[in-house]
Amino acid sequence: MTMKPILIKNILQLTPQSQTVKVSGWVRTFRNNQFISLNDGSTIKNLQIVVDFQNFPEELLKKIHTGTSITVTGKLVPSLGKGQTHEVVAEALDIIGECSPEEYPLQPKKHSLEFLREIAHLRMRTTTFQSVFKVRSGLAFAIHQYFQQHGFVYIHSPIITASDAEGAGELFQVTTLNLNNIPKTETGEVDFSEDFFGKPANLTVSGQLEAELAAMAFSKVYTFGPTFRAENSNTPRHLAEFWMIEPEMAFYELPDNMDLAEDMLKYLIQYAFNNFPDELEFLQQRQSEEEKQKPQNERSSMPLLEKLNFCIKESFERLTYTQAIDILENSSYNKKKKFQFPVQWGMDLQTEHERYLVEKEFNKPVILTDYPKAIKAFYMRQNDDDKTVRAMDILFPGIGEIIGGSQREERLDKLEQRMKEMRISAKDMYWYLDTRRFGTVPHSGFGLGFERLVQFVTGMSNIRDVIPFPRTPKNCEF
Ligand code: 4AD
Ligand code: MG
């Protein structure tokens, strides 16, 4: 029987005692015609392969370059060199796939993140992106683990819908109509009766409304899937395709919702801490080098691991939107006119305001509640002041809004009235209103932007660097 290759991760856990091992991977570097640094992605660590050039034909050694895939069989011995504990003394070496050093864009030198974004089909072969996507994978698993352990049912909300949950109107339309020959009605409008679904359809912006339906059956549910927003914003925090986690809980009021969100975030950060020490250590190093390039006043005050630890330990600051506006108005920042957008009750907080509260005022995560109803979605529970709703946003250092949620309006009359004011069709939304007609209960939920969480945990400053293939305006490559 032929020997199977062992993952490098497992090899590095063996006690080296000259046992024979077989390993397959891609060459990261080949130094002095003698040392191969091999990676197979099972760990961000590389395995050193020692090649005695006298034992191998020159023709073969000439084909070993950065990116070449090889299989090696040899003896596993302790390494005397610096930087590694194990090495394999090669006895047999096969080239699996060649890689031309003249053409291969990934060379063993520092590439900028911008350049790597242009070669996103190859960037996963770098230690930075292996670290980021391993943490991403782990966090996705931890999300399921957290909710499953807490009695939540996982609901698959649809990707294609005919409703616009947020009323934000940033929809990607889904159609099979021939755009070169669009069927029109007698009055000259697009005849959607001829479209695939017989009416306009779009990619979902949120699974919340469907999650609410399910919460009325299971009490506690969550969704976790891709969502789509045709926001024309080129920022380091927005994607056109991003993943969202949306728990929805019957019999939960706003404070219960905040408690759950805080507990979940701490659990997820702790999970990354416990399970990805090597990756986070590497990312911390990477980030601190990046920080050195920035002007003094824009540098983040804490190294990555310290920042993560800090967020686990501290309780999140909770205050109302109105209190936050007061703080912002009276801040020396505002008095010195340092905000680009002037502060005023009723405004939607801009990232600069959110970051001021988190990074300058409280220096920890902040939960803001009770926003003006005019800037929030129709489904949020109305307060008695007739001005604000039971909304909550969670703001994180370096990120701004990571979670948006609310207690929902469970009173049929109030909800219908708000929908009328906002010109949302009660007829089209009969199924949603049915939850308020048939056994309505107080309930709450929130949406966690998965990429923003990954950004926070990995310290990557651009959201395009935490999803394998980012979709942004004018960019749908790979
Ligand atoms: O605040 P949002 O729009 O809330 C909702 O969609 C609600 N239906 C959630 C709920 O109550 N079930 O979005 C929730 C989160 C934001 O806080 C942000 O983290 C993330 O989703 N998000 C985005 N992430 C990346 N790119 C975008 N374009 C995003 N838009 C929102
Ligand atoms: Mg929001």
Side-chain angles (χ1 to χ4, degrees):
M1 213 176 86
T2 56
M3 205 176 169
K4 282 213 176 96
I6 315 177
L7 291 176
I8 291 176
K9 180 182 172 193
N10 297 336
I11 289 185
L12 294 177
Q13 274 157 15
L14 298 173
T15 309
Q17 42 196 6
S18 293
Q19 65 270 53
T20 299
V21 295
K22 184 174 176 180
V23 56
S24 296
W26 293 265
V27 173
R28 279 288 166 86
T29 56
F30 186 29
R31 283 186 297 123
N32 306 336
N33 220 17
Q34 193 179 10
F35 300 109
I36 296 173
S37 181
L38 193 71
N39 184 277
D40 69 357
S42 62
T43 158
I44 58 167
K45 290 185 182 149
N46 301 325
L47 179 64
Q48 174 150 292
I49 311 288
V50 185
V51 184
D52 183 343
F53 67 89
Q54 291 173 353
N55 298 343
F56 296 93
E58 204 186 327
E59 281 312 300
L60 180 108
L61 297 184
K62 270 197 195 149
K63 291 181 182 164
I64 303 176
H65 303 287
T66 297
T68 306
S69 51
I70 61 172
T71 293
V72 177
T73 309
K75 297 249 185 299
L76 183 65
V77 299
S79 178
L80 302 175
K82 259 175 84 180
Q84 68 275 326
T85 49
H86 296 57
E87 63 191 25
V88 171
V89 182
E91 289 170 353
L93 195 162
D94 290 315
I95 308 276
I96 311 295
E98 293 185 39
C99 184
S100 153
E102 286 77 39
E103 290 168 41
Y104 190 49
L106 271 184
Q107 290 303 317
K109 59 164 197 167
K110 207 159 175 52
H111 293 296
S112 73
L113 293 174
E114 290 78 13
F115 171 72
L116 291 170
R117 237 170 264 151
E118 286 167 19
I119 52 163
H121 60 305
L122 300 171
R123 68 177 177 171
M124 284 189 249
R125 303 175 181 203
T126 65
T127 311
T128 297
F129 286 96
Q130 280 183 341
S131 301
V132 169
F133 295 131
K134 271 171 174 279
V135 172
R136 182 182 169 111
S137 159
L139 285 171
F141 177 75
I143 281 158
H144 285 294
Q145 183 152 290
Y146 179 83
F147 285 114
Q148 297 284 335
Q149 279 173 358
H150 287 80
F152 284 68
V153 175
Y154 180 32
I155 297 294
H156 291 116
S157 48
I159 304 278
I160 301 176
T161 81
S163 78
D164 170 10
E166 300 302 308
E170 291 144 345
L171 306 173
F172 284 103
Q173 191 147 0
V174 174
T175 181
T176 51
L177 292 178
N178 177 356
L179 296 183
N180 293 316
N181 184 14
I182 299 172
K184 296 278 174 70
T185 61
E186 275 166 22
T187 51
E189 273 138 31
V190 177
D191 185 3
F192 283 103
S193 70
E194 297 213 8
D195 203 351
F196 189 89
F197 298 106
K199 58 180 172 181
N202 54 271
L203 295 177
T204 186
V205 295
S206 158
Q208 178 194 326
L209 302 192
E210 290 86 359
E212 282 189 58
L213 309 180
M216 297 303 126
F218 298 102
S219 287
K220 297 203 283 185
V221 301
Y222 69 108
T223 70
F224 184 6
T227 41
F228 308 85
R229 293 188 190 175
E231 279 169 303
N232 208 357
S233 40
N234 262 309
T235 81
R237 275 175 283 275
H238 288 87
L239 290 166
E241 177 180 288
F242 64 100
W243 286 62
M244 188 154 49
I245 296 96
E246 296 187 273
E248 192 69 36
M249 297 74 62
F251 313 108
Y252 268 50
E253 297 189 9
L254 197 64
D256 310 310
N257 205 21
M258 289 193 270
D259 291 344
L260 176 75
E262 183 169 342
D263 186 61
M264 175 202 69
L265 285 169
K266 288 178 171 172
Y267 174 89
L268 296 174
I269 298 167
Q270 184 71 56
Y271 182 93
F273 225 91
N274 296 349
N275 291 276
F276 296 94
D278 296 343
E279 288 78 3
L280 293 181
E281 188 74 43
F282 176 86
L283 289 165
Q284 166 164 281
Q285 191 65 35
R286 192 210 67 81
Q287 193 194 36
S288 78
E289 278 161 29
E290 188 182 83
E291 290 289 314
K292 283 186 206 138
Q293 316 294 324
K294 293 186 190 164
Q296 193 86 35
N297 62 338
E298 282 174 32
R299 288 184 199 168
S300 110
S301 51
M302 278 185 210
L304 182 61
L305 290 170
E306 202 183 313
K307 191 179 69 179
L308 298 182
N309 221 340
F310 182 77
C311 285
I312 298 170
K313 296 242 161 65
E314 292 286 321
S315 20
F316 297 2
E317 188 72 32
R318 299 180 184 191
L319 70 160
T320 65
Y321 167 92
T322 303
Q323 288 169 324
I325 290 287
D326 263 358
I327 290 172
L328 291 169
E329 273 182 334
N330 293 316
S331 67
S332 60
Y333 240 65
N334 193 39
K335 289 181 179 146
K336 289 186 199 144
K337 303 215 176 331
K338 280 203 198 164
F339 291 126
Q340 194 190 338
F341 295 88
V343 181
Q344 193 185 6
W345 198 96
M347 74 184 300
D348 214 349
L349 294 181
Q350 301 294 321
T351 303
E352 56 174 348
H353 307 125
E354 297 177 341
R355 293 189 64 169
Y356 178 87
L357 291 168
V358 174
E359 288 157 42
K360 300 269 185 306
E361 180 72 20
F362 295 111
N363 211 357
K364 57 174 167 169
V366 171
I367 313 185
L368 290 187
T369 60
D370 302 284
Y371 281 72
K373 69 174 180 183
I375 57 171
K376 290 293 185 188
F378 73 94
Y379 49 69
M380 295 193 182
R381 194 177 202 279
Q382 296 159 56
N383 282 321
D384 294 337
D385 64 9
D386 209 30
K387 290 196 316 214
T388 59
V389 287
R390 290 302 258 166
M392 67 168 205
D393 275 8
I394 302 190
L395 315 178
F396 256 42
I399 302 288
E401 181 191 333
I402 196 165
I403 277 183
S406 72
Q407 184 171 335
R408 318 305 187 191
E409 183 54 82
E410 85 282 12
R411 298 162 295 186
L412 181 63
D413 55 336
K414 294 264 183 196
L415 185 59
E416 280 178 331
Q417 178 210 329
R418 190 74 189 126
M419 286 170 72
K420 205 178 260 169
E421 285 166 12
M422 294 178 79
R423 295 172 197 279
I424 296 166
S425 161
K427 189 164 148 275
D428 291 349
M429 299 285 284
Y430 77 93
W431 49 273
Y432 184 69
L433 290 167
D434 270 0
T435 54
R436 276 65 170 173
R437 284 192 191 102
F438 308 134
T440 191
V441 297
H443 62 288
S444 303
F446 60 83
L448 166 65
F450 186 52
E451 284 74 19
R452 293 196 188 172
L453 172 72
V454 181
Q455 259 192 294
F456 178 72
V457 173
T458 59
M460 299 300 284
S461 48
N462 195 312
I463 199 166
R464 297 163 202 220
D465 296 330
V466 300
I467 186 163
F469 303 104
R471 269 73 179 100
T472 51
K474 303 280 178 289
N475 174 25
C476 192
E477 193 71 19
F478 316 111

